[in-house]
Every structure is written in C-alpha cells, then in structure tokens.
Amino acid sequence: MSESAFLELTGITSEDPTTAIVSFARQLRRDFDRIQMENEFAIDEVLTKVSILRKEFLRMHRYNPIEHVVSRVKTAESIFKKAARLGIEPTPEAIRAHIKDIAGVRVTCSFISDTYRVMEALTSQEDVTVLQVKDYIANPKPNGYKSLHVLIELPIFLSTGPVPVPVEVQIRTIAMDFWASLEHKIYYKYEGEVPSYLVETLTEAARQSEQLDRQMERLYEEVRGHEHDADHDDELMMDEQTLLSLWNTARDRFGSSFP
Ligand code: 0O2
C-alpha cells in the first residue's frame, strides 16, 4: 500500500505524517492486543463452563460425555487473511463486527447423542446468547465434513465493565474429529488442489466413520441399559443403608422400648 493510500484509509492529515503513522500503528497494535486478550478471556469462560458440565455429568450421572477439549485464538496473520478474503477493512472495528471466530473451542465427545446434549447444556445457560447454529452432523458438507458449529456470545468481566465476545464452539465425535484433522492435513499438504483419488478415499472414509459412529452409539445404548439396572441396585442399597441408620437413630432416642 502506498503512503498516500495508507494516509487516505487511516484519515491521517498531520503535517508530519511519519510521526502520525507511528502513533497510529502503535494504537492499532494496542487495539489488536486488546482483541486477542478479550478472546483469550472468552475462551477461559467457555472452558470453565465445559469443565463444570463435565464434572457435573460425572458426579450426577457417573458418565462423562466429553472426551477432550481444545481451544485457539486466531493468529493476527490468520485474522488479516480472513479480512482480506471477506473484503473487510483491516481495522479493529471492522474485525470486531465481521470476524466472529477469533475465539474457537472444540469439544470432542464419544457419541453423536452427546454432541447434542453438550450443545443443549451450553447454549441453555443464562449468560450465553446463541448467534448461529450450523448442524453439519444432520447436514454434512459435500466433502463429508461433520460437526456441530455453535456461535455463541458471552460476557467477559473486565475492570471497565462487561464486554460481549463471540466464540465459535465446534462439537463433534472422536470419529468426526479424526476424519476432520486428516482431511485438514491433506488439504494443506496439497494447498487445496487435492487429487481426485484422495477426495474419493476421504469421502468413503467419511461414510465409514459415520457407520462406526452409529454402531458405537447402538452398542453404548445397550451397555447403558444394563448400567441403569446396576445403578438402580446401588440406589436401593443406599436407601437400605439410610434406613438402617435412621432405625439406629430412632432406637437410640426411644431406648429399649423401641423394637
Ligand atoms: P481453523 O484453523 O480451524 O480456524 P468461515 O468461518 O467464514 O471461514 P465457513 O465455511 O462459513 O467459513 O464457516 P464454518 O462452516 O463454520 O467453518 C469454519 C471452521 O470449521 C473452519 O475454520 C474449520 O475449523 C472447520 N471446517 C469447516 N469445513 C471444514 C472441512 O471441510 N474440513 C475441515 N477439516 N474443517 C472444516 P477455519 O477458520 O477454516 O480454520
């Protein structure tokens, strides 16, 4: 970009443009630092929510629907590339307004039903606003990509007050995740020009991974049915223990006249 074009874009009219450009660049850096910071904090909030859900499921249902969680803040380079692709001015205001996936969290679940359960539990929280849901599990992309994409917005609490920050949460099964990371690697290796035989193999792998997901889900439901019976026995046992202790308390209170 020529100096005059830069001055026109930034609106700098100072008689000493060099000083003005340096101070503008410093301001830009501060603004971008702030954007990165807000996005890091928003990720912390989402990770805490996911961790609480995971612990609650474990404690209350003795079951963990979440296998693992990863997160990332988009790098400045990747933000600028996306801005250029979308035809957005590379200013902090335009980036805040148009790029909503600077903060990303990926939750990997064991089973398809868990992905929807986790999405429901996360999006029904009071401080979470759902901006968009893309269900690529029900409607996979033509290449076979499957995942739930939920764009949420939640407040982070800074010393200056609350700031709403969008976070893209991707929720998928282990099989979907395995497929997506391999596809991503292949796509990057061939810089988007993937040979057709590999595209076909990937599409076939996506179909097989879907079958695997469905089979695993069926197996899990069967095993879960048996576990429910065992849980019921445990509850009965706990009740008997509670009854026994109540009985003993009553006997202590009423003495030997109590049977
Ligand atoms: P990264 O490095 O994961 O952040 P856009 O969000 O505008 O770029 P789109 O298609 O409207 O594009 O958004 P969408 O459908 O919500 O997908 C965005 C993200 O989903 C991507 O992020 C990928 O992480 C993932 N994704 C989408 N489609 C595919 C796919 O076909 N294969 C794989 N492996 N991942 C996919 P980024 O920003 O591209 O990359």
Side-chain angles (χ1 to χ4, degrees), residues 215-229:
Q215 256 172 355
M216 299 297 268
E217 183 105 35
R218 273 196 297 273
L219 270 173
Y220 156 70
E221 272 162 18
E222 204 164 303
V223 172
R224 210 45 197 150
H226 287 298
E227 270 179 12
H228 278 314
D229 295 344

Side-chain angles (χ1 to χ4, degrees), residues 121-191:
L122 189 63
T123 55
S124 57
Q125 300 191 5
E126 238 174 49
D127 56 347
V128 171
T129 307
V130 179
L131 301 180
Q132 187 182 51
V133 176
K134 289 185 193 169
D135 187 348
Y136 294 126
I137 294 182
N139 306 295
K141 286 197 166 184
N143 62 357
Y145 175 77
K146 295 175 90 182
S147 189
L148 283 177
H149 288 193
V150 197
L151 185 60
I152 57 173
E153 189 173 72
L154 75 172
I156 54 158
F157 297 93
L158 300 179
S159 59
T160 44
V163 179
V165 183
V167 179
E168 185 188 77
V169 184
Q170 299 181 350
I171 312 171
R172 52 174 79 150
T173 63
I174 302 168
M176 291 171 198
D177 192 49
F178 190 26
W179 183 92
S181 32
L182 183 63
E183 193 264 0
H184 190 68
K185 278 186 199 123
I186 292 175
Y187 193 84
Y188 266 85
K189 182 173 158 63
Y190 290 92
E191 291 170 350

Side-chain angles (χ1 to χ4, degrees), residues 7 39 55 59 61 85 107 115 141 172 215 225:
L7 293 179
N39 279 277
K55 286 178 188 158
R59 290 272 283 270
H61 308 290
R85 184 162 58 81
V107 181
T115 62
K141 286 197 166 184
R172 52 174 79 150
Q215 256 172 355

Side-chain angles (χ1 to χ4, degrees), residues 3-257:
E3 188 174 298
S4 58
F6 179 79
L7 293 179
E8 197 185 322
L9 173 70
T10 55
I12 293 171
T13 54
S14 164
E15 282 173 10
D16 176 6
T18 312
T19 315
I21 289 170
V22 169
S23 100
F24 181 79
R26 283 208 180 114
Q27 185 56 44
L28 261 187
R29 212 185 71 183
R30 273 196 294 273
D31 289 344
F32 277 103
D33 265 358
R34 195 175 172 88
I35 291 180
Q36 300 273 25
M37 181 189 75
E38 289 170 3
N39 279 277
E40 277 166 28
F41 293 165
I43 284 178
D44 288 346
E45 292 282 350
V46 174
L47 292 181
T48 303
K49 284 179 183 298
V50 172
S51 163
I52 288 174
L53 286 175
R54 185 189 224 162
K55 286 178 188 158
E56 185 208 339
F57 270 109
L58 264 173
R59 290 272 283 270
M60 305 309 290
H61 308 290
R62 291 184 222 159
Y63 172 67
N64 174 22
I66 296 162
E67 284 292 329
H68 56 263
V69 186
V70 290
S71 64
R72 64 103 183 92
V73 176
K74 242 185 186 10
T75 60
E77 189 195 350
S78 176
I79 295 173
F80 286 125
K81 268 193 192 158
K82 184 161 182 176
R85 184 162 58 81
L86 300 179
I88 293 166
E89 275 187 6
T91 59
E93 299 74 29
I95 282 166
R96 273 183 207 280
H98 299 288
I99 303 189
K100 303 284 186 186
D101 63 344
I102 297 177
V105 173
R106 185 173 294 150
V107 181
T108 306
C109 300
S110 313
F111 303 104
I112 300 170
S113 54
D114 292 334
T115 62
Y116 289 98
R117 192 175 300 160
V118 169
M119 175 170 80
E120 176 59 30
L122 189 63
T123 55
S124 57
Q125 300 191 5
E126 238 174 49
D127 56 347
V128 171
T129 307
V130 179
L131 301 180
Q132 187 182 51
V133 176
K134 289 185 193 169
D135 187 348
Y136 294 126
I137 294 182
N139 306 295
K141 286 197 166 184
N143 62 357
Y145 175 77
K146 295 175 90 182
S147 189
L148 283 177
H149 288 193
V150 197
L151 185 60
I152 57 173
E153 189 173 72
L154 75 172
I156 54 158
F157 297 93
L158 300 179
S159 59
T160 44
V163 179
V165 183
V167 179
E168 185 188 77
V169 184
Q170 299 181 350
I171 312 171
R172 52 174 79 150
T173 63
I174 302 168
M176 291 171 198
D177 192 49
F178 190 26
W179 183 92
S181 32
L182 183 63
E183 193 264 0
H184 190 68
K185 278 186 199 123
I186 292 175
Y187 193 84
Y188 266 85
K189 182 173 158 63
Y190 290 92
E191 291 170 350
E193 303 291 322
V194 184
S196 61
Y197 79 93
L198 275 183
V199 174
E200 279 163 31
T201 314
L202 271 171
T203 313
E204 176 56 18
R207 201 187 56 76
Q208 285 180 0
S209 99
E210 176 173 348
Q211 267 185 351
L212 178 67
D213 260 340
R214 297 207 182 281
Q215 256 172 355
M216 299 297 268
E217 183 105 35
R218 273 196 297 273
L219 270 173
Y220 156 70
E221 272 162 18
E222 204 164 303
V223 172
R224 210 45 197 150
H226 287 298
E227 270 179 12
H228 278 314
D229 295 344
D231 282 355
H232 188 60
D233 288 348
D234 274 4
E235 274 162 27
L236 284 181
M237 240 176 74
M238 210 161 76
D239 278 346
E240 280 163 21
Q241 276 171 358
T242 313
L243 263 177
L244 189 65
S245 112
L246 283 173
W247 184 269
N248 286 336
T249 311
R251 204 174 42 192
D252 289 349
R253 174 96 182 254
F254 292 100
S256 54
S257 60

